[in-house]
Amino acid sequence: MDTELDRISSLPGHVLDQILSVLPIRDAVRTSALSRKWRYKWSQIPHLVFDTQCASITSQDQTIVKNKLVHIIDSVLLLHNGPIYKFKLSHRDLLGVSDIDRWILHLSRGSTKEFVLEIWKGQRYKLPSCLFSFVNLTHLELFNCLLKPPSAFKGFRNLKSLDLQHVTLAQEVFENLISSCALLERLTLMNFDGFTHLKINAPNLQFFDIGGIFDDVSFENTSLLTLVSIGLYANVKNDRHVSHGSSSKLLRFFVNLPHLRRLEIQSYFIKYLAISKVPSRLPKPCMDLNYISIRINFNDFEENSAALCILRSCPNLQEIELLGRPEEQSDVEPRTGFWGDDQWKCLFGHLRLVKMVGISGIRSELDCIKFLLSNSPVLEQMTVKPASNEGGWELVKELLRFRRASIQAEVIYLDP
């Protein structure tokens, strides 16, 4: 055993650091008992992660849990000797205690580049103003927090990745935060409140993932944005009397996304895009878009029109996924025929894979399938998965009747 330990101890310093960095902080501290050389080695690791693996706490008493966690973190920070580049606090039993303020203040005096804080219990934790003085921050991840930066805050000048989930911040704070982080490349927003208008002004943004309730979304200076996943969690009404004459949501959404490569339209966002007039095609085609996923109610005429407009405007698609919302379907079917207007025009010369999920076999769904099969000369596979077993055999018979532009196209029926 001593020989094996000596072999490990004789490894280069950077290798030992790498070994320690992948261990839970509890095990990293325990290595101090291995030998004299290891005694203080753990205190120099630059990445500190305090999660459920950092301590085994069996008590159900929240006070005992809190005190033990605070003691562990205080002890580690006190004995730590060296820069802390990453600090993550994500323990399932930790509330937003005032001790977190002390730890953030301590880190603000150093060179922290990655900061992750996830408060899993209790009300929103109000971040102290010293967090906004992290000048070296490149990644910020917050869960269940309240953000209220000081008036002198000018943004995180080195921030490249921002992940905000279950957060509260004012409209002006949100807009200033995004626009003042000039190097921002990745932005994730999930389940937020305090603001409803998403104005994204980020010249280096490449990845945008959002899910929540909001009134509007717009992009400015986002020519580098290539991947967008957006879900509107609340149903919206397309009131034609209100929306008549207003600018098209569909046109506004795409106008500043010239190099989009991957687009996921989730929940009710296609209904939002269908507000106001929907053109047959976008003014400028999305030449770089090769993957699209749309959740859609095939019983909704406006949603079908918006989806068809988008698909017509993406000639280089390689993969399409259409997810039905069968829970909204009624006995009254929408107007049909618009999916059939462009059949046999080879609109999708690069499309190889299609997925249809959650459908029920209504006419508009079948028209859409026929539209895709007839316009995809190199299609390799179409997968169809209905929402239920009801009418499954009739759906299979319909699928077998459809002609295909691609002689190699395989239509696969999957059970629900």
Side-chain angles (χ1 to χ4, degrees):
M1 180 67 182
D2 291 340
T3 304
E4 293 179 1
L5 180 58
D6 287 341
R7 287 178 181 174
I8 296 175
S9 300
S10 63
L11 291 171
H14 71 278
V15 176
L16 297 179
D17 292 340
Q18 183 64 28
I19 293 173
L20 287 170
S21 68
V22 298
L23 292 176
I25 190 67
R26 175 179 56 183
D27 296 334
V29 173
R30 285 174 176 172
T31 62
S32 62
L34 293 176
S35 69
R36 184 174 298 175
K37 182 176 181 179
W38 284 82
R39 182 168 298 173
Y40 301 109
K41 193 68 179 174
W42 73 268
S43 67
Q44 300 174 8
I45 56 176
H47 297 170
L48 299 181
V49 176
F50 300 97
D51 54 16
T52 52
Q53 299 183 63
C54 78
S56 55
I57 305 175
T58 57
S59 176
Q60 299 298 316
D61 189 322
Q62 282 295 321
T63 302
I64 295 176
V65 172
K66 176 249 184 184
N67 290 339
K68 187 167 185 178
L69 283 172
V70 169
H71 174 71
I72 291 171
I73 298 172
D74 278 342
S75 299
V76 170
L77 291 178
L78 178 64
L79 296 173
H80 192 273
N81 181 26
I84 301 174
Y85 294 134
K86 176 181 179 179
F87 183 89
K88 179 177 180 178
L89 178 55
S90 177
H91 197 287
R92 292 280 180 177
D93 294 315
L94 183 64
L95 297 166
V97 294
S98 59
D99 301 271
I100 299 175
D101 290 11
R102 294 190 293 105
W103 302 330
I104 294 177
L105 178 61
H106 175 79
L107 295 169
S108 69
R109 297 164 179 160
S111 51
T112 302
K113 295 181 179 180
E114 297 183 40
F115 182 80
V116 180
L117 178 60
E118 296 176 332
I119 306 297
W120 294 99
K121 291 184 177 181
Q123 60 186 10
R124 296 274 201 268
Y125 165 68
K126 184 180 179 181
L127 294 162
S129 59
C130 56
L131 174 72
F132 300 95
S133 64
F134 281 41
V135 295
N136 297 303
L137 206 60
T138 60
H139 175 79
L140 178 60
E141 193 171 332
L142 302 171
F143 186 97
N144 194 24
C145 293
L146 169 64
L147 289 79
K148 193 174 182 181
S151 57
F153 177 63
K154 301 300 181 183
F156 297 109
R157 63 188 182 191
N158 294 306
L159 194 68
K160 292 187 176 181
S161 176
L162 178 62
D163 188 326
L164 303 176
Q165 301 192 38
H166 295 271
V167 296
T168 299
L169 61 163
Q171 181 70 49
E172 184 180 2
V173 171
F174 170 74
E175 292 184 12
N176 290 339
L177 177 63
I178 302 305
S179 62
S180 62
C181 298
L183 299 183
L184 191 65
E185 296 176 356
R186 298 178 63 88
L187 176 59
T188 299
L189 298 170
M190 292 290 167
N191 298 302
F192 45 85
D193 56 68
F195 62 99
T196 59
H197 296 274
L198 305 176
K199 184 178 179 181
I200 309 301
N201 186 343
N204 281 291
L205 194 65
Q206 301 171 27
F207 172 94
F208 181 49
D209 185 11
I210 176 180
I213 298 174
F214 52 90
D215 294 333
D216 196 27
V217 58
S218 61
F219 298 94
E220 294 181 19
N221 301 320
T222 51
S223 60
L224 297 183
L225 192 52
T226 58
L227 193 156
V228 172
S229 177
I230 184 164
L232 177 59
Y233 293 167
N235 200 345
V236 294
K237 292 183 178 180
N238 190 349
D239 190 329
R240 296 177 184 176
H241 299 290
V242 173
S243 61
H244 181 69
S246 61
S247 60
S248 169
K249 301 288 189 183
L250 195 60
L251 296 181
R252 286 184 58 219
F253 179 77
F254 282 96
V255 68
N256 288 315
L257 300 174
H259 300 298
L260 199 59
R261 296 180 61 85
R262 184 181 178 95
L263 176 61
E264 298 175 6
I265 298 174
Q266 302 178 17
S267 302
Y268 297 99
F269 191 64
I270 190 66
K271 186 180 286 289
Y272 164 89
L273 292 177
I275 293 177
S276 192
K277 185 178 180 180
V278 175
S280 60
R281 279 181 172 82
L282 297 175
K284 291 185 179 180
C286 303
M287 300 303 294
D288 295 334
L289 196 65
N290 56 50
Y291 172 91
I292 191 166
S293 175
I294 304 175
R295 186 167 290 279
I296 179 174
N297 174 11
F298 280 100
N299 250 337
D300 188 295
F301 176 79
E302 284 78 16
E303 289 189 38
N304 279 266
S305 299
L308 181 57
C309 169
I310 296 171
L311 293 179
R312 281 178 178 152
S313 306
C314 304
N316 295 318
L317 282 170
Q318 298 177 22
E319 184 174 350
I320 295 175
E321 181 181 53
L322 296 177
L323 309 169
R325 294 204 310 271
E327 68 277 4
E328 293 184 73
Q329 291 181 1
S330 63
D331 295 331
V332 180
E333 294 200 3
R335 286 172 282 173
T336 60
F338 53 89
W339 283 107
D341 292 343
D342 287 331
Q343 288 187 17
W344 305 105
K345 293 186 179 181
C346 295
L347 297 178
F348 310 114
H350 304 276
L351 186 62
R352 299 184 180 278
L353 181 62
V354 174
K355 295 179 181 179
M356 301 281 296
V357 181
I359 65 173
S360 55
I362 62 174
R363 188 75 264 159
S364 56
E365 293 169 343
L366 297 176
D367 287 345
C368 176
I369 293 174
K370 189 185 299 184
F371 163 78
L372 293 172
L373 287 174
S374 66
N375 279 292
S376 310
V378 298
L379 185 67
E380 297 173 1
Q381 185 181 98
M382 173 181 281
T383 302
V384 178
K385 186 176 182 179
S388 68
N389 285 314
E390 185 178 351
W393 179 239
E394 292 300 319
L395 177 58
V396 171
K397 288 194 292 184
E398 287 279 2
L399 294 175
L400 292 175
R401 292 193 189 103
F402 294 155
R403 295 171 58 194
R404 309 165 193 180
S406 171
I407 59 173
Q408 60 182 353
E410 180 183 18
V411 178
I412 300 175
Y413 177 88
L414 299 176
D415 290 327

